[in-house]
Amino acid sequence: MDPIRIGLVGDRNLEVRAHAAIPRALDLAGKGLPRSLEPVWLLTTTLGRDLDERLSQLSGLWCVPGSPYKSTESALWAIQTARERPIPFLGTCGGFQHAVLEFARNVLGSPEAAHAELSPAAKDPWISALSCSLVGESGLIKLVAGSKAATAYGKDKTTEEYHCNYGLNAAYRERLETGGLKATGFDEAGDVRILELEGHPFFVATLFQPELSAYRGVPHPLVRAFGEAAFHHWHRSQAHAAS
């Protein structure tokens, strides 16, 4: 039985804990599905605007940690494609940051939206340095009732692991939410840790790294929900092709 293929957007490096964990996380999440989940790496150095031709093989896109990516443009193009098609999307850590950039530039009309790590002197830093580094930290996250995140977890709070130095610049949160990219998870200080796109079957970005639960052999609720969305996308695609 053919697996459900998930495109991993990033620059594969197995010395990065998240990169080693993601295939395990997908394997764990896929055990409860009718078909397994198979990771397919989409390196930003080789991923261009030919992505559209490759999507027939994929049922979900995961923009993975490990930024700055070798090709920021390729990562943003993949996120835009997932948003517009619409294809189930998960962005973790660097994927969260670049989901914000893509939305700011292509939906909110801010073409100069920048990432402070890449452009420290940028005038429009939608992604800025965190007041305290979260590398190697874990923390409590409160979930918004009725959100995809809260539904996936089945509760209103969780504790997650981080590996990030950059996050959403709070000055832009209102514009982001007004445009439809909603904050649905917050740390104890009220800072945004999860974003979801309104009206999309599954478009979720987290500043934390849910994939790291794979090191404990634990399937993560958000990865499982992403896998379920990818399976339903695959099933709809098969039905459409047969009609």
Side-chain angles (χ1 to χ4, degrees):
M1 187 177 293
D2 291 338
I4 304 299
R5 294 182 175 88
I6 304 296
L8 304 183
V9 179
D11 303 307
R12 188 177 186 225
N13 179 356
L14 294 183
E15 294 183 4
V16 175
R17 289 186 72 229
H19 291 192
I22 285 172
R24 303 184 202 179
L26 287 171
D27 181 62
L28 288 166
K31 291 187 183 304
L33 293 174
R35 292 172 181 262
S36 62
L37 302 175
E38 178 183 283
V40 178
W41 280 93
L42 303 174
L43 305 181
T44 67
T45 50
T46 60
L47 181 62
R49 293 187 177 254
D50 62 339
L51 173 62
D52 196 58
E53 300 173 9
R54 304 170 72 176
L55 287 179
S56 61
Q57 304 279 324
L58 304 171
S59 299
L61 291 174
W62 184 338
C63 193
V64 308
S67 61
Y69 305 116
K70 292 180 180 178
S71 173
T72 298
E73 181 182 354
S74 292
L76 294 178
W77 173 246
I79 295 168
Q80 181 180 1
T81 300
R83 177 178 57 78
E84 293 179 343
R85 292 291 294 227
I87 299 165
F89 172 82
L90 181 63
T92 59
C93 198
F96 171 104
Q97 298 160 13
H98 286 73
V100 170
L101 289 186
E102 190 282 321
F103 199 78
R105 292 180 183 183
N106 297 323
V107 177
L108 301 181
S110 295
E112 302 303 317
H115 192 308
E117 185 177 19
L118 300 172
S119 305
K123 295 181 180 179
D124 211 4
W126 285 67
I127 298 298
S128 58
L130 298 171
S131 57
C132 294
S133 172
L134 291 175
V135 173
E137 299 293 328
S138 61
L140 183 72
I141 295 174
K142 300 175 182 178
L143 307 171
V144 172
S147 65
K148 284 185 171 61
T151 300
Y153 282 100
K155 55 186 179 181
D156 62 4
K157 63 183 67 173
T158 183
T159 298
E160 295 291 346
E161 298 176 70
Y162 294 93
H163 197 81
C164 293
N165 286 314
Y166 292 84
L168 174 64
N169 184 336
Y172 297 95
R173 176 184 161 188
E174 184 176 354
R175 288 177 62 188
L176 205 64
E177 293 204 273
T178 299
L181 193 56
K182 300 291 189 179
T184 62
F186 304 87
D187 69 6
E188 293 182 277
D191 293 323
V192 177
R193 297 295 179 250
I194 306 175
L195 292 165
E196 299 180 16
L197 181 60
E198 281 187 325
H200 193 287
F202 192 95
F203 190 106
V204 177
T206 73
L207 199 61
F208 55 86
Q209 296 187 349
E211 58 270 14
L212 296 182
S213 71
Y215 284 112
R216 303 191 303 276
V218 177
H220 195 282
L222 277 180
V223 180
R224 185 169 55 223
F226 171 57
E228 290 172 354
F231 171 74
H232 290 307
H233 179 84
W234 172 86
H235 193 270
R236 287 192 298 270
S237 298
Q238 294 297 305
H240 179 74
S243 62

